Each structure stands twice: as C-alpha cells, then as structure tokens.
Amino acid sequence: SNAAPEQTARVAQAVESLYAAYTVFFGERIAPQADAPKLKLMLYRNRAEFEAHNTSQPWAEAYYRAPWSHAYYDVGEKNPYHWMLHEATHQLRNEVAPFPKTKWIDEGVASYFGTSRLRDGKLALGEIDPDTYPIWQLRGLDLTGDLQEDIRKGRIIPLRDLMTDTGPPIAQHVNLYYVEYWSLSHFLFHYRDGKYAQQYRALIAQPGAPEAFERLIGPIERIQEEWYAYLRTQLPPARYPIKGST
C-alpha cells in the first residue's frame, strides 16, 4: 500500500469483510483452504498514481490481474472502495472458489458484492449502497413498464442476449450491461425471499449457458418478465443520482 495508514486500514477491513462474506455465502461449494496463500492487493495512494500504473482499460477504476487486485483509495467518494470490492470478488472467484468464468455471472456476482453496504465493518449482502457503481446509473434507465417496448427501444438487453454476449456493443452500452449484470444477480438471490437463490448458486458453480439456466432456474423468457418487474422496483429516482460511467 502507498495509501495513508488510516486509509489502508479501512480498505483492509473492507476486503477482509468481503472474504468472510464470500466464503460463508458460498461455503457449501468452497473446499477448506487451511494453508492457502494470502491473496494480494495493490493499493495506490490516489487515482493519479493508479492511472500511472494502470495496465487495464483506460477507464478502469480498479482491476484484477492474477495474482493481484489493483485499486486506490478514493478520498472524494462516500464509498471509497466499492471498485476494489468488485475486483476482489473476481479474485475470489478465480483463486478461492474457483468457479468457471461466465461473463454475465462473473460480472453480476462481483457487482452484487461490490454494491452491498458495509455496516460497522461488515458487508451486508444484498443491502444496496446507492453510492456504488452501477447503482448510480439506475435513474437513467427511463423504463416504460412495457418490456417489449423497452427492448425495441434499446433500453433493455434481452437476457438471452446478455447470457450469450450477442447484445449491442458493450463499449457503447457499458452502463446498461452492468445494470443488468448486477440486477439479474440481485434478483436471482433475493426475489421472493430467495426463490431462485439455491438454483443460482448451483448455476454459478458450472458454465452458465442458457441451457443450464433453463434446466436449473426456468425458461429465460418467463424469468425475464419477473426480473424486469423486479428491476423497476429498484428505480426510486430520489435515491440514485446519476454519476459518471465506469
């Protein structure tokens, strides 16, 4: 760490809370690792120092490249480490679980953990922190309530396209993709008191192709209707100011 000692301590507490929450959440599917090596996190002093050493995408606020997660402490934000929690979740998937990498699941689960609120040093999974990405993009969705109309207008990417990476170019629609990655995982874990949670955990442990999704969870088009209605319940405009993109 090149960050100040107090900042380093806060980040360390946050990332250890992430590790504890993740290993408990997926405890039945993660083998004990009593003598596993420590996970590695590089914490830069500030955004300028991070950018000077960034070897990922130019717009990245944090990134994971095995065996290191790279992040910085963002002094100007209410939540100064949500980017780090997102990338460290990718690290946990790769080095601790390890689950196969399916993009919509990998990004959805990382967003689920990264947007969860830290309360008294503990991660409250599923409790949405509005000062995290992509939550602050929700207000910009402008959904009509008509799923097919929103699909036609490009306001919604159909879930089958999301799962098969056959939607519109992600470079031009990155915020919409991440809203859907996050919201689909949040929906599958919490809809109707976790109706699909165990089936989703089973899917996470294998390649998440549409065929596997439908076998374990249900027909994609039916789930899409339920998810779309659920997503609309997450859009109270006063709570989610629009911020910059990832």
Side-chain angles (χ1 to χ4, degrees), residues 19 76 106 125 129 158 176 211 220-222 241:
Y19 181 89
D106 195 35
L125 293 183
D129 184 342
L176 179 56
E211 297 77 15
I220 290 175
E221 280 67 32
R222 175 175 63 79

Side-chain angles (χ1 to χ4, degrees), residues 89-143:
T89 304
H90 290 314
Q91 185 176 21
L92 292 171
R93 190 272 310 158
N94 186 51
E95 298 182 38
V96 173
F99 298 133
K101 184 177 180 179
T102 304
K103 186 176 179 66
W104 73 268
I105 293 176
D106 195 35
E107 295 300 338
V109 172
S111 297
Y112 174 77
F113 279 84
T115 60
S116 292
R117 191 186 297 274
L118 272 163
R119 285 196 175 278
D120 299 321
K122 294 184 178 180
L123 207 60
L125 293 183
E127 184 177 326
I128 301 166
D129 184 342
D131 295 307
T132 58
Y133 181 85
I135 305 305
W136 59 51
Q137 295 294 329
L138 290 176
R139 218 180 120 200
L141 286 186
D142 193 25
L143 301 180

